[in-house]
Amino acid sequence: MLSRTKAPVVAGAALALLAPLLAGCGGGGGGGNTTITVLAASSLTGSFTDLGQAFEKAHPGVAVKFAFDSSATLAQEATQGAPADVLATADTKTMASAKAAQAASPQVFATNVMVLATPAANPAGITGFTDLDKPSVKFVMCVPTAPCGVVGQALLDQDHITGKPVSQEVDVKSVLATLTEGEADAGIVYTTDAVAAGSAVKALPIPGSARQTTSYPIAPLTQSKHSSLAREFIDMVLSTRGQAVLRKAGFGAP
């Protein structure tokens, strides 16, 4: 079952970025009590929550609800006809697996790279990616079925790291939670998640991470009952101001 929560109030910095966008948007979806649902990779939680709030302000009477989860899970739900309007995944391969559910060709709207995160205090004294080969270091990463797990494993292979994770989590949010709860010494996460975690974690670059850049595509879904609003939400994500919100969250350009 999809869990959906109403987007919370946007932080002041995000509102400042979005103010010109709000001023330029009409109430194209306004009137009545309409809800559109966006299925989005968990690494998009912060930026899409901000964009959802902006969309609601630009479209009186329209609510945006989100289901943030592993891309693989969301793609499967979309293909099975989950009542939703938009799908945004953390890689193009997963989006392709949901091709039957897409009402239009996906558009890449952002990119991301992975970093090595440690708890803020860094009790294990980790200084670089190669420390993951130390028997004493406990690290975590995403499950191999999630895009973050695929990229994480590619980085381990690329840098000849043979150490094994003590656990594999369903998504990057779970990896971060394991770190902040003191259950691991390090974790492989997206740059954006390290940015969102703020002072709770310390981020270290991974050698050659740019060679494993992941692209984020977005597409409207065939089962959408509000196709025009779904298209307008996607247009907001792709707009100059929408892209500014994504850049602030740490995402790279498409």
Side-chain angles (χ1 to χ4, degrees):
M1 174 177 282
L2 300 178
S3 61
R4 304 182 182 89
T5 56
K6 183 75 174 294
V9 176
V10 186
L15 279 174
L17 282 172
L18 291 166
L21 176 61
L22 297 178
C25 288
N33 296 310
T34 302
T35 298
I36 64 169
T37 300
V38 179
L39 311 182
S42 63
S43 52
L44 293 165
T45 300
S47 52
F48 266 37
T49 295
D50 290 348
L51 289 171
Q53 180 70 17
F55 193 83
E56 290 179 344
K57 289 182 179 295
H59 299 77
V62 177
V64 182
K65 292 188 177 180
F66 295 95
F68 295 110
D69 208 327
S70 163
S71 293
T73 297
L74 296 176
Q76 182 179 28
E77 290 181 343
T79 303
Q80 292 174 347
D85 304 280
V86 175
L87 173 65
T89 63
D91 73 334
T92 54
K93 182 178 180 180
T94 304
M95 177 64 79
S97 72
K99 184 176 181 179
Q102 296 166 27
S105 299
Q107 294 175 270
V108 172
F109 64 91
T111 54
N112 214 345
V113 296
M114 303 200 88
V115 295
L116 184 66
T118 72
N122 192 11
I126 293 172
T127 60
F129 201 47
T130 56
D131 285 342
L132 298 188
D133 266 340
K134 294 179 178 179
S136 61
V137 172
K138 298 184 297 181
F139 76 93
V140 291
M141 60 188 292
C142 294
V143 293
T145 54
C148 49
V150 173
V151 176
Q153 187 59 55
L155 288 167
L156 291 173
D157 294 341
Q158 174 181 290
D159 293 331
H160 310 293
I161 304 298
T162 58
K164 302 298 181 184
V166 293
S167 72
Q168 293 178 313
E169 306 296 332
V170 65
D171 55 29
V172 283
K173 299 299 181 188
S174 299
V175 172
L176 281 171
T178 302
L179 289 180
T180 56
E181 291 167 7
E183 297 176 3
D185 301 315
I188 303 173
V189 303
Y190 289 119
T191 296
T192 51
D193 293 284
V195 170
S199 61
V201 301
K202 177 181 179 181
L204 301 171
I206 296 176
S209 60
R211 295 199 294 273
Q212 301 296 338
T213 298
T214 185
S215 296
Y216 285 62
I218 190 169
L221 296 174
T222 57
Q223 60 261 45
S224 173
K225 294 182 179 180
H226 309 288
S227 57
S228 62
L229 285 171
R231 183 67 256 176
E232 287 184 51
F233 180 83
I234 292 172
D235 287 344
M236 173 178 279
V237 172
L238 294 168
S239 72
T240 300
R241 293 293 172 176
Q243 290 290 297
V245 171
L246 290 162
R247 295 298 88 73
K248 184 175 179 63
F251 286 97

